[in-house]
Amino acid sequence: GIQVEQSPPDLILQEGANSTLRCNFSDSVNNLQWFHQNPWGQLINLFYIPSGTKQNGRLSATTVATERYSLLYISSSQTTDSGVYFCAVTNSGGYQKVTFGTGTKLQVIP
Amino acid sequence: SAVISQKPSRDICQRGTSLTIQCQVDSQVTMMFWYRQQPGQSLTLIATANQGSEATYESGFVIDKFPISRPNLTFSTLTVSNMSPEDSSIYLCSVEKGLNTEAFFGQGTRLTVV
């Protein structure tokens, strides 16, 4: 099956700093999503971005499907950004299972 | 988007017992998915539940251990049977509201087996 690797696995940021999280996938994909898992375990949808670039406030994401990677940018980080960030892909049409990446654990310190 | 209600949100259970997790969606959906997230790990698909047919299980997961019901288009249950401490995980249900659309997740059930 498709492999989804994220980097870095762990990241500590000072509040106000910027960061880039990367997601590499081993095969072509139909869909790609970014999620934030908060400390209570809930998955929050950040972006649905099979290709192109999207922005939502301090967050933006870019997917280059032809080169099999996606990037999540966090600017002016806040302590509430702490948690685990997952990218997740589907690589066939229709209703298909989502394959999750390995995750990036982010800690933002005051 | 989709509003997904999952119950219970957390539970502590004795080994050897079973726990049934419920997942309710605010609108009809064709497919529902159940995931497991072991401590410190990523999410792994357990099974896909289609209304009116038996669930389809991923490699490493079996129906006797994780029976699933899907009685209608808005509801599903996952049972974790004969639990052991290794079953301690977060269990999440997920839906997709249309073909090739984004997935939405319930808030998860944090299970601890003692």
Side-chain angles (χ1 to χ4, degrees):
Chain A
I2 190 169
Q3 304 298 313
V4 185
E5 297 289 331
Q6 291 182 241
S7 60
D10 296 279
L11 184 60
I12 300 175
L13 292 177
Q14 200 77 38
E15 196 169 24
N18 304 327
S19 65
T20 301
L21 281 56
R22 187 177 179 101
C23 171
N24 292 329
F25 39 95
S26 61
D27 202 349
S28 58
V29 298
N30 293 99
N31 298 327
L32 188 144
Q33 292 181 243
W34 283 96
F35 295 92
H36 175 214
Q37 188 170 40
N38 64 25
W40 297 270
Q42 187 168 7
L43 280 172
I44 310 298
N45 290 50
L46 296 178
F47 293 102
Y48 172 71
I49 185 166
S51 64
T53 297
K54 289 186 178 180
Q55 180 155 7
N56 184 2
R58 295 181 296 104
L59 303 181
S60 64
T62 295
T63 297
V64 184
T66 54
E67 297 186 21
R68 299 181 183 173
Y69 74 89
S70 183
L71 303 173
L72 177 69
Y73 306 94
I74 304 174
S75 64
S76 304
S77 59
Q78 301 175 359
T79 56
T80 52
D81 294 331
S82 297
V84 183
Y85 290 80
F86 289 105
C87 71
V89 304
T90 58
N91 67 331
S92 58
Y95 295 101
Q96 292 296 330
K97 68 176 183 179
V98 175
T99 299
F100 278 78
T102 49
T104 292
K105 185 175 182 180
L106 172 65
Q107 183 179 359
V108 181
I109 56 177
Chain B
S1 66
V3 177
I4 305 170
S5 174
Q6 203 175 318
K7 296 179 182 179
S9 58
R10 59 175 60 232
D11 208 342
I12 301 174
C13 300
Q14 296 291 322
R15 67 178 68 200
T17 63
S18 299
L19 176 71
T20 296
I21 302 167
Q22 299 180 2
C23 182
Q24 178 77 50
V25 189
D26 66 336
S27 59
Q28 295 182 345
V29 293
T30 302
M31 304 291 274
M32 295 180 77
F33 305 85
W34 288 97
Y35 288 81
R36 180 178 74 181
Q37 185 180 26
Q38 295 177 299
Q41 303 295 313
S42 186
L43 282 76
T44 301
L45 181 67
I46 297 172
T48 302
N50 194 1
Q51 191 262 341
S53 63
E54 220 169 78
T56 302
Y57 290 82
E58 296 297 305
S59 175
F61 297 96
V62 295
I63 188 171
D64 290 346
K65 176 68 176 177
F66 297 102
I68 288 171
S69 77
R70 182 82 200 274
N72 58 53
L73 292 175
T74 62
F75 187 78
S76 179
T77 66
L78 169 76
T79 298
V80 186
S81 303
N82 189 25
M83 289 184 285
S84 67
E86 291 71 35
D87 294 320
S88 297
S89 297
I90 298 175
Y91 293 86
L92 300 102
C93 68
S94 171
V95 304
E96 295 173 21
K97 300 202 77 174
L99 294 174
N100 289 320
T101 61
E102 65 185 300
F104 295 92
F105 286 79
Q107 70 268 42
T109 296
R110 188 180 295 269
L111 170 63
T112 302
V113 183
V114 296

